[in-house]
Amino acid sequence: MKIERTKNAGRNIIFGGILKIYQIFIPFLMRTAMIYFMGVQYLGLSSLFTSILQVLNLAELGVGGAMVYAMYKPITEDDTKTICALMKLYRTYYRCIGGVIAVIGLCLTPVIPKLIKSDLPMGLNVYALYLLNLFATVLSYWLFAYKNSIFQAYQRVDIISKVSLITNTLQYILQLIIIVFVKNYYIYVIVALATQALNNIITALIATKKYPDYKPVGKLDKKLVKEINSRIRDLFTSKLGMVIVNSADTVVISAFLGLTVLAIYQNYYFILTAIIGLVDVIFQACTAGIGNSVIVETKKKNFDDLKKFTLMIVWIAGFCTCCFLNLYQPFMEIWVGKDLMLNFGCVVCLCIYYFIYEINKLLNTYKDASGIWHEDRFRPLITALTNLALNILTVNFWGIYGVLLSTVVSTLVIGMPWLLHNLFTVLFDKEQLREYLIKLSKYFFVVCISCVITLFICNIFTFSKWITLIIRGMICCVVPNIIYWVSFKNIPEFEQCTKLLKTLVGSKIKYSNK
């Protein structure tokens, strides 16, 4: 079956974007309600549990990514038998994974209180809350999680987005009522558990109705199973590295600095990850299309696409970086007040981290879409362990600065150079690496200039809180984009990006009129 890459990417970006905007605004409202009605420490506790469960999700071993990748070829060839057998294998793996997470999670229960230095809300049973969160994680694997793979492989993530929109609405309404009127954190967690189960069930029912021929039956060739297991082993270190990076900061801050500092940091990080989530919609929408392109297109075409996507991400990430640099502090002062704010130096560190993250994410998207997991198997783990070691070494001397800078240094010094080497050894030609690095360097210089100029202009305008925020927002919308347009308008990638955007918009209009 021919996958319409541009049409599906456009559709996924639209519906994924709607969901992400929704998932930014409503959780923001929830965090605000929890700060003012229950206390900032509850936010820190929620973040800690999330990070611990991310570590437990290591049991997933990258099964999802390996299985979706294995489906690209049989979908292209309309090989229903192989797809059904893959779904059966996927279901078996996920049932085992849920069991492993349950056992390991129960074994870790006695350690949980030791990860909280201070500020635990009175009257809470940490063990009970942890077990509720653990059960929610286990349930997410046992309840038809394998059926998501069909939507991902067919590049129909928009369907998953629509289901999540419905179940999230129900969850947030119930949880807001609990925060404001009931003020019971146990019921708050139980609601999240129940709506997660509902989400899995609805998604599975839609998958069964839309793709009735795909059922978890049949047996795969031993050679294919061996290849899949090999990919899973290779993905494990990548998964481990990602989890350490995402969880280490939270756990280290909680253990060394306390829940209140963690909650303050997480307020900033929430805004950062909200924007990351919006940009991730583009990556998620294009991953399957990139995987298909890697199979059917030439190296030159794929390298041209990489340069095109790099310019797009640099423009988007550069614009967002300018906004973070100039809007973070006035916004946080309005939202939580000066007592719950980090200093401007931390904001600069977060901006650097964000820009590097987005570029690294693009490179990782190409790695995942092309299945370069074996060659890349040690890089994420070494990068993450370096980050963790630097966290522990620097947090006692520099506090939150040490935690933030550790991630930046480990990514810049180890992660990105290694990943670029792997990509330009396996997927692209080595000779193309120099050209790509020169482009990246020029882009980075332009973004730095745009940030400095925008910051200088914004600092001229200081009025009341809301007026300052609005004026600075207008400046951030205009100044960096003018700089990027002047700097990039004459390069070939700019014209290619323009054509792609026109195609995506045209595809969306045709789809909407059907």
Side-chain angles (χ1 to χ4, degrees), residues 32-85:
T32 305
M34 187 168 282
I35 289 172
Y36 289 101
F37 286 94
M38 294 185 69
V40 70
Q41 293 84 4
Y42 286 92
L43 292 180
L45 192 61
S46 295
S47 300
L48 177 62
F49 284 140
T50 300
S51 297
I52 293 169
L53 293 171
Q54 280 181 341
V55 175
L56 290 178
N57 275 326
L58 280 173
E60 200 266 348
L61 295 172
V63 168
M67 296 302 293
V68 170
Y69 180 79
M71 287 182 178
Y72 289 156
K73 185 176 179 181
I75 284 177
T76 303
E77 298 174 349
D78 284 333
D79 187 353
T80 302
K81 182 179 178 181
T82 300
I83 295 171
C84 291

Short mmCIF file of all heavy atoms in Angstrom, two decimals, residues 32-85:
data_model
loop_
_atom_site.label_atom_id
_atom_site.label_comp_id
_atom_site.label_asym_id
_atom_site.label_seq_id
_atom_site.Cartn_x
_atom_site.Cartn_y
_atom_site.Cartn_z
N THR A 32 -1.59 25.45 38.03
CA THR A 32 -1.93 26.68 38.74
C THR A 32 -2.90 26.40 39.88
O THR A 32 -2.73 26.90 41.00
CB THR A 32 -2.55 27.71 37.77
OG1 THR A 32 -1.65 27.92 36.67
CG2 THR A 32 -2.81 29.02 38.46
N ALA A 33 -3.93 25.60 39.59
CA ALA A 33 -4.91 25.25 40.62
C ALA A 33 -4.25 24.50 41.77
O ALA A 33 -4.54 24.75 42.95
CB ALA A 33 -6.03 24.42 40.00
N MET A 34 -3.34 23.58 41.44
CA MET A 34 -2.69 22.80 42.49
C MET A 34 -1.79 23.68 43.36
O MET A 34 -1.74 23.51 44.58
CB MET A 34 -1.89 21.66 41.87
CG MET A 34 -1.32 20.70 42.90
SD MET A 34 -0.67 19.17 42.19
CE MET A 34 -2.19 18.28 41.90
N ILE A 35 -1.11 24.66 42.74
CA ILE A 35 -0.25 25.56 43.51
C ILE A 35 -1.07 26.35 44.52
O ILE A 35 -0.70 26.48 45.70
CB ILE A 35 0.50 26.53 42.58
CG1 ILE A 35 1.58 25.78 41.78
CG2 ILE A 35 1.15 27.67 43.37
CD1 ILE A 35 2.23 26.62 40.70
N TYR A 36 -2.20 26.87 44.09
CA TYR A 36 -2.99 27.78 44.93
C TYR A 36 -4.00 27.08 45.83
O TYR A 36 -4.38 27.63 46.86
CB TYR A 36 -3.70 28.82 44.05
CG TYR A 36 -2.76 29.83 43.45
CD1 TYR A 36 -2.35 29.74 42.12
CD2 TYR A 36 -2.24 30.87 44.22
CE1 TYR A 36 -1.47 30.66 41.57
CE2 TYR A 36 -1.36 31.80 43.67
CZ TYR A 36 -0.98 31.69 42.36
OH TYR A 36 -0.10 32.60 41.82
N PHE A 37 -4.43 25.87 45.48
CA PHE A 37 -5.45 25.18 46.29
C PHE A 37 -4.88 24.05 47.15
O PHE A 37 -5.47 23.70 48.16
CB PHE A 37 -6.56 24.61 45.40
CG PHE A 37 -7.49 25.66 44.85
CD1 PHE A 37 -7.26 26.20 43.60
CD2 PHE A 37 -8.58 26.10 45.58
CE1 PHE A 37 -8.11 27.17 43.07
CE2 PHE A 37 -9.43 27.08 45.07
CZ PHE A 37 -9.20 27.61 43.82
N MET A 38 -3.74 23.46 46.74
CA MET A 38 -3.19 22.34 47.50
C MET A 38 -1.76 22.58 47.97
O MET A 38 -1.37 22.10 49.03
CB MET A 38 -3.27 21.05 46.65
CG MET A 38 -4.69 20.59 46.37
SD MET A 38 -4.79 18.99 45.49
CE MET A 38 -4.22 17.87 46.77
N GLY A 39 -0.95 23.27 47.18
CA GLY A 39 0.44 23.54 47.60
C GLY A 39 1.45 23.12 46.56
O GLY A 39 1.26 22.13 45.85
N VAL A 40 2.57 23.85 46.50
CA VAL A 40 3.57 23.62 45.46
C VAL A 40 4.27 22.28 45.64
O VAL A 40 4.77 21.69 44.68
CB VAL A 40 4.59 24.78 45.46
CG1 VAL A 40 5.48 24.73 46.71
CG2 VAL A 40 5.46 24.74 44.21
N GLN A 41 4.30 21.74 46.88
CA GLN A 41 4.99 20.48 47.12
C GLN A 41 4.34 19.31 46.35
O GLN A 41 5.02 18.35 46.00
CB GLN A 41 5.00 20.15 48.62
CG GLN A 41 5.84 21.10 49.46
CD GLN A 41 5.08 22.35 49.84
OE1 GLN A 41 3.89 22.48 49.54
NE2 GLN A 41 5.77 23.28 50.51
N TYR A 42 3.02 19.39 46.12
CA TYR A 42 2.35 18.31 45.39
C TYR A 42 2.86 18.22 43.95
O TYR A 42 2.91 17.14 43.37
CB TYR A 42 0.83 18.54 45.39
CG TYR A 42 0.18 18.25 46.72
CD1 TYR A 42 0.02 19.25 47.67
CD2 TYR A 42 -0.26 16.97 47.03
CE1 TYR A 42 -0.57 18.99 48.90
CE2 TYR A 42 -0.86 16.70 48.26
CZ TYR A 42 -1.01 17.72 49.19
OH TYR A 42 -1.59 17.44 50.40
N LEU A 43 3.23 19.38 43.37
CA LEU A 43 3.79 19.37 42.02
C LEU A 43 5.14 18.65 42.01
O LEU A 43 5.43 17.87 41.10
CB LEU A 43 3.97 20.80 41.51
CG LEU A 43 2.71 21.59 41.22
CD1 LEU A 43 3.08 22.98 40.72
CD2 LEU A 43 1.84 20.88 40.20
N GLY A 44 5.96 18.92 43.02
CA GLY A 44 7.24 18.25 43.12
C GLY A 44 7.08 16.76 43.29
O GLY A 44 7.81 15.95 42.68
N LEU A 45 6.09 16.34 44.08
CA LEU A 45 5.83 14.92 44.30
C LEU A 45 5.39 14.24 43.01
O LEU A 45 5.86 13.13 42.68
CB LEU A 45 4.76 14.75 45.38
CG LEU A 45 4.55 13.34 45.94
CD1 LEU A 45 5.83 12.84 46.60
CD2 LEU A 45 3.40 13.34 46.94
N SER A 46 4.52 14.88 42.25
CA SER A 46 4.07 14.33 40.97
C SER A 46 5.24 14.16 40.00
O SER A 46 5.34 13.14 39.31
CB SER A 46 3.00 15.23 40.34
OG SER A 46 1.84 15.27 41.13
N SER A 47 6.11 15.16 39.96
CA SER A 47 7.27 15.09 39.06
C SER A 47 8.21 13.96 39.45
O SER A 47 8.76 13.27 38.59
CB SER A 47 8.03 16.42 39.09
OG SER A 47 7.21 17.49 38.67
N LEU A 48 8.39 13.75 40.75
CA LEU A 48 9.26 12.68 41.21
C LEU A 48 8.72 11.31 40.81
O LEU A 48 9.45 10.46 40.30
CB LEU A 48 9.43 12.75 42.73
CG LEU A 48 10.27 11.65 43.37
CD1 LEU A 48 11.70 11.69 42.85
CD2 LEU A 48 10.24 11.75 44.90
N PHE A 49 7.42 11.10 41.02
CA PHE A 49 6.81 9.82 40.64
C PHE A 49 6.93 9.59 39.13
O PHE A 49 7.19 8.47 38.68
CB PHE A 49 5.34 9.78 41.05
CG PHE A 49 5.13 9.53 42.52
CD1 PHE A 49 4.14 10.20 43.23
CD2 PHE A 49 5.94 8.63 43.21
CE1 PHE A 49 3.96 9.98 44.58
CE2 PHE A 49 5.76 8.40 44.57
CZ PHE A 49 4.77 9.07 45.26
N THR A 50 6.71 10.64 38.36
CA THR A 50 6.82 10.51 36.90
C THR A 50 8.21 10.07 36.50
O THR A 50 8.39 9.19 35.65
CB THR A 50 6.49 11.85 36.23
OG1 THR A 50 5.14 12.23 36.55
CG2 THR A 50 6.62 11.74 34.72
N SER A 51 9.23 10.64 37.12
CA SER A 51 10.61 10.30 36.79
C SER A 51 10.95 8.87 37.19
O SER A 51 11.63 8.15 36.46
CB SER A 51 11.57 11.28 37.47
OG SER A 51 11.38 12.58 36.99
N ILE A 52 10.48 8.45 38.36
CA ILE A 52 10.74 7.08 38.80
C ILE A 52 10.10 6.08 37.85
O ILE A 52 10.71 5.06 37.47
CB ILE A 52 10.20 6.87 40.23
CG1 ILE A 52 11.00 7.72 41.23
CG2 ILE A 52 10.28 5.39 40.64
CD1 ILE A 52 10.39 7.77 42.61
N LEU A 53 8.87 6.36 37.43
CA LEU A 53 8.17 5.44 36.53
C LEU A 53 8.78 5.45 35.14
O LEU A 53 8.68 4.45 34.41
CB LEU A 53 6.68 5.81 36.48
CG LEU A 53 5.95 5.58 37.81
CD1 LEU A 53 4.54 6.15 37.77
CD2 LEU A 53 5.90 4.10 38.15
N GLN A 54 9.41 6.55 34.74
CA GLN A 54 10.14 6.56 33.48
C GLN A 54 11.30 5.56 33.53
O GLN A 54 11.59 4.88 32.56
CB GLN A 54 10.69 7.96 33.18
CG GLN A 54 9.65 8.90 32.60
CD GLN A 54 10.24 10.28 32.30
OE1 GLN A 54 11.30 10.63 32.82
NE2 GLN A 54 9.57 11.04 31.48
N VAL A 55 11.93 5.46 34.69
CA VAL A 55 13.00 4.49 34.85
C VAL A 55 12.44 3.07 34.74
O VAL A 55 13.01 2.20 34.09
CB VAL A 55 13.71 4.68 36.21
CG1 VAL A 55 14.75 3.58 36.43
CG2 VAL A 55 14.38 6.05 36.27
N LEU A 56 11.30 2.83 35.38
CA LEU A 56 10.69 1.50 35.30
C LEU A 56 10.28 1.16 33.87
O LEU A 56 10.28 -0.01 33.47
CB LEU A 56 9.45 1.43 36.21
CG LEU A 56 9.73 1.45 37.71
CD1 LEU A 56 8.42 1.43 38.49
CD2 LEU A 56 10.60 0.28 38.12
N ASN A 57 9.94 2.17 33.08
CA ASN A 57 9.55 1.93 31.69
C ASN A 57 10.73 1.46 30.83
O ASN A 57 10.55 1.18 29.64
CB ASN A 57 8.95 3.20 31.07
CG ASN A 57 7.48 3.32 31.39
OD1 ASN A 57 6.77 2.33 31.48
ND2 ASN A 57 7.01 4.54 31.58
N LEU A 58 11.91 1.37 31.43
CA LEU A 58 13.03 0.77 30.71
C LEU A 58 12.70 -0.65 30.26
O LEU A 58 13.26 -1.15 29.29
CB LEU A 58 14.27 0.72 31.62
CG LEU A 58 15.06 2.01 31.75
CD1 LEU A 58 16.13 1.85 32.80
CD2 LEU A 58 15.68 2.36 30.42
N ALA A 59 11.80 -1.30 30.99
CA ALA A 59 11.42 -2.66 30.62
C ALA A 59 10.83 -2.72 29.23
O ALA A 59 10.79 -3.78 28.60
CB ALA A 59 10.41 -3.21 31.64
N GLU A 60 10.35 -1.58 28.73
CA GLU A 60 9.80 -1.54 27.37
C GLU A 60 10.87 -1.85 26.33
O GLU A 60 10.56 -2.31 25.24
CB GLU A 60 9.18 -0.16 27.12
CG GLU A 60 8.17 -0.11 25.98
CD GLU A 60 8.82 0.29 24.66
OE1 GLU A 60 9.97 0.75 24.69
OE2 GLU A 60 8.16 0.16 23.62
N LEU A 61 12.11 -1.56 26.67
CA LEU A 61 13.27 -1.96 25.86
C LEU A 61 13.28 -1.43 24.43
O LEU A 61 14.02 -1.91 23.59
CB LEU A 61 13.36 -3.50 25.79
CG LEU A 61 13.64 -4.25 27.09
CD1 LEU A 61 13.50 -5.75 26.85
CD2 LEU A 61 15.03 -3.93 27.59
N GLY A 62 12.42 -0.48 24.15
CA GLY A 62 12.36 -0.02 22.76
C GLY A 62 11.56 -0.92 21.86
O GLY A 62 11.68 -0.86 20.64
N VAL A 63 10.71 -1.77 22.46
CA VAL A 63 9.90 -2.71 21.67
C VAL A 63 9.02 -1.95 20.68
O VAL A 63 8.90 -2.33 19.52
CB VAL A 63 9.03 -3.59 22.59
CG1 VAL A 63 7.98 -4.35 21.78
CG2 VAL A 63 9.90 -4.58 23.34
N GLY A 64 8.39 -0.86 21.14
CA GLY A 64 7.48 -0.12 20.28
C GLY A 64 8.15 0.38 19.01
O GLY A 64 7.65 0.19 17.90
N GLY A 65 9.32 1.03 19.16
CA GLY A 65 10.03 1.54 18.00
C GLY A 65 10.45 0.44 17.04
O GLY A 65 10.33 0.58 15.81
N ALA A 66 10.93 -0.68 17.58
CA ALA A 66 11.37 -1.79 16.73
C ALA A 66 10.20 -2.42 15.98
O ALA A 66 10.32 -2.77 14.80
CB ALA A 66 12.08 -2.85 17.59
N MET A 67 9.05 -2.55 16.64
CA MET A 67 7.90 -3.18 16.00
C MET A 67 7.31 -2.29 14.91
O MET A 67 6.93 -2.77 13.83
CB MET A 67 6.83 -3.51 17.05
CG MET A 67 7.27 -4.53 18.08
SD MET A 67 7.79 -6.11 17.38
CE MET A 67 6.24 -6.71 16.74
N VAL A 68 7.22 -1.00 15.18
CA VAL A 68 6.69 -0.08 14.15
C VAL A 68 7.61 -0.07 12.94
O VAL A 68 7.15 -0.09 11.79
CB VAL A 68 6.53 1.35 14.74
CG1 VAL A 68 6.22 2.34 13.63
CG2 VAL A 68 5.43 1.36 15.79
N TYR A 69 8.91 -0.05 13.18
CA TYR A 69 9.86 -0.07 12.06
C TYR A 69 9.70 -1.35 11.25
O TYR A 69 9.77 -1.33 10.01
CB TYR A 69 11.29 0.02 12.61
CG TYR A 69 12.35 -0.01 11.52
CD1 TYR A 69 12.63 1.13 10.79
CD2 TYR A 69 13.06 -1.17 11.24
CE1 TYR A 69 13.60 1.12 9.79
CE2 TYR A 69 14.02 -1.20 10.24
CZ TYR A 69 14.29 -0.05 9.52
OH TYR A 69 15.23 -0.08 8.53
N ALA A 70 9.45 -2.49 11.93
CA ALA A 70 9.29 -3.76 11.24
C ALA A 70 8.03 -3.79 10.37
O ALA A 70 7.93 -4.60 9.43
CB ALA A 70 9.24 -4.91 12.25
N MET A 71 7.07 -2.90 10.66
CA MET A 71 5.81 -2.88 9.90
C MET A 71 5.90 -2.06 8.62
O MET A 71 5.04 -2.19 7.75
CB MET A 71 4.68 -2.33 10.78
CG MET A 71 4.21 -3.29 11.85
SD MET A 71 2.83 -2.59 12.80
CE MET A 71 2.48 -3.94 13.92
N TYR A 72 6.89 -1.19 8.49
CA TYR A 72 6.97 -0.33 7.32
C TYR A 72 6.96 -1.13 6.02
O TYR A 72 6.18 -0.85 5.09
CB TYR A 72 8.25 0.53 7.36
CG TYR A 72 8.26 1.61 8.41
CD1 TYR A 72 9.46 2.13 8.90
CD2 TYR A 72 7.07 2.15 8.92
CE1 TYR A 72 9.48 3.14 9.87
CE2 TYR A 72 7.09 3.14 9.89
CZ TYR A 72 8.29 3.63 10.35
OH TYR A 72 8.31 4.62 11.30
N LYS A 73 7.81 -2.13 5.93
CA LYS A 73 7.94 -2.90 4.69
C LYS A 73 6.69 -3.73 4.38
O LYS A 73 6.16 -3.65 3.26
CB LYS A 73 9.17 -3.80 4.74
CG LYS A 73 9.43 -4.53 3.44
CD LYS A 73 10.72 -5.34 3.52
CE LYS A 73 10.97 -6.09 2.21
NZ LYS A 73 12.21 -6.91 2.27
N PRO A 74 6.14 -4.55 5.32
CA PRO A 74 4.92 -5.33 5.00
C PRO A 74 3.72 -4.45 4.66
O PRO A 74 2.87 -4.85 3.87
CB PRO A 74 4.67 -6.16 6.26
CG PRO A 74 5.52 -5.57 7.32
CD PRO A 74 6.67 -4.92 6.64
N ILE A 75 3.64 -3.24 5.25
CA ILE A 75 2.54 -2.34 4.89
C ILE A 75 2.69 -1.87 3.45
O ILE A 75 1.72 -1.82 2.69
CB ILE A 75 2.49 -1.14 5.87
CG1 ILE A 75 1.89 -1.58 7.21
CG2 ILE A 75 1.67 0.02 5.28
CD1 ILE A 75 1.86 -0.50 8.26
N THR A 76 3.92 -1.54 3.07
CA THR A 76 4.18 -1.12 1.69
C THR A 76 3.83 -2.24 0.70
O THR A 76 3.34 -1.98 -0.40
CB THR A 76 5.66 -0.73 1.52
OG1 THR A 76 5.98 0.30 2.46
CG2 THR A 76 5.93 -0.22 0.12
N GLU A 77 4.05 -3.50 1.11
CA GLU A 77 3.82 -4.65 0.24
C GLU A 77 2.45 -5.29 0.43
O GLU A 77 2.16 -6.34 -0.15
CB GLU A 77 4.91 -5.70 0.50
CG GLU A 77 6.31 -5.21 0.18
CD GLU A 77 7.39 -6.20 0.59
OE1 GLU A 77 7.04 -7.19 1.31
OE2 GLU A 77 8.55 -6.01 0.20
N ASP A 78 1.59 -4.68 1.26
CA ASP A 78 0.26 -5.24 1.58
C ASP A 78 0.34 -6.67 2.10
O ASP A 78 -0.49 -7.53 1.78
CB ASP A 78 -0.64 -5.20 0.33
CG ASP A 78 -1.17 -3.81 0.05
OD1 ASP A 78 -1.29 -3.02 1.00
OD2 ASP A 78 -1.44 -3.50 -1.12
N ASP A 79 1.32 -6.94 2.94
CA ASP A 79 1.53 -8.27 3.50
C ASP A 79 0.77 -8.38 4.83
O ASP A 79 1.34 -8.21 5.92
CB ASP A 79 3.03 -8.50 3.70
CG ASP A 79 3.35 -9.93 4.12
OD1 ASP A 79 2.41 -10.70 4.38
OD2 ASP A 79 4.55 -10.27 4.18
N THR A 80 -0.52 -8.66 4.74
CA THR A 80 -1.38 -8.71 5.92
C THR A 80 -0.95 -9.80 6.90
O THR A 80 -0.99 -9.60 8.12
CB THR A 80 -2.84 -8.96 5.50
OG1 THR A 80 -3.26 -7.91 4.63
CG2 THR A 80 -3.76 -9.00 6.71
N LYS A 81 -0.54 -10.93 6.38
CA LYS A 81 -0.14 -12.06 7.23
C LYS A 81 1.00 -11.68 8.16
O LYS A 81 0.97 -11.97 9.37
CB LYS A 81 0.26 -13.25 6.35
CG LYS A 81 0.64 -14.50 7.14
CD LYS A 81 1.01 -15.63 6.19
CE LYS A 81 1.44 -16.88 6.97
NZ LYS A 81 1.83 -17.98 6.06
N THR A 82 2.01 -11.02 7.61
CA THR A 82 3.17 -10.61 8.43
C THR A 82 2.77 -9.56 9.46
O THR A 82 3.23 -9.60 10.61
CB THR A 82 4.29 -10.06 7.53
OG1 THR A 82 4.70 -11.08 6.61
CG2 THR A 82 5.49 -9.61 8.35
N ILE A 83 1.92 -8.61 9.06
CA ILE A 83 1.48 -7.58 10.00
C ILE A 83 0.73 -8.19 11.18
O ILE A 83 0.96 -7.82 12.34
CB ILE A 83 0.58 -6.54 9.28
CG1 ILE A 83 1.40 -5.79 8.22
CG2 ILE A 83 0.00 -5.55 10.28
CD1 ILE A 83 0.57 -4.91 7.32
N CYS A 84 -0.14 -9.16 10.91
CA CYS A 84 -0.88 -9.84 11.99
C CYS A 84 0.08 -10.57 12.93
O CYS A 84 -0.09 -10.53 14.16
CB CYS A 84 -1.89 -10.83 11.39
SG CYS A 84 -3.26 -10.05 10.54
N ALA A 85 1.06 -11.23 12.36
CA ALA A 85 2.02 -11.95 13.19
C ALA A 85 2.85 -10.99 14.03
O ALA A 85 3.19 -11.28 15.19
CB ALA A 85 2.93 -12.81 12.31
#
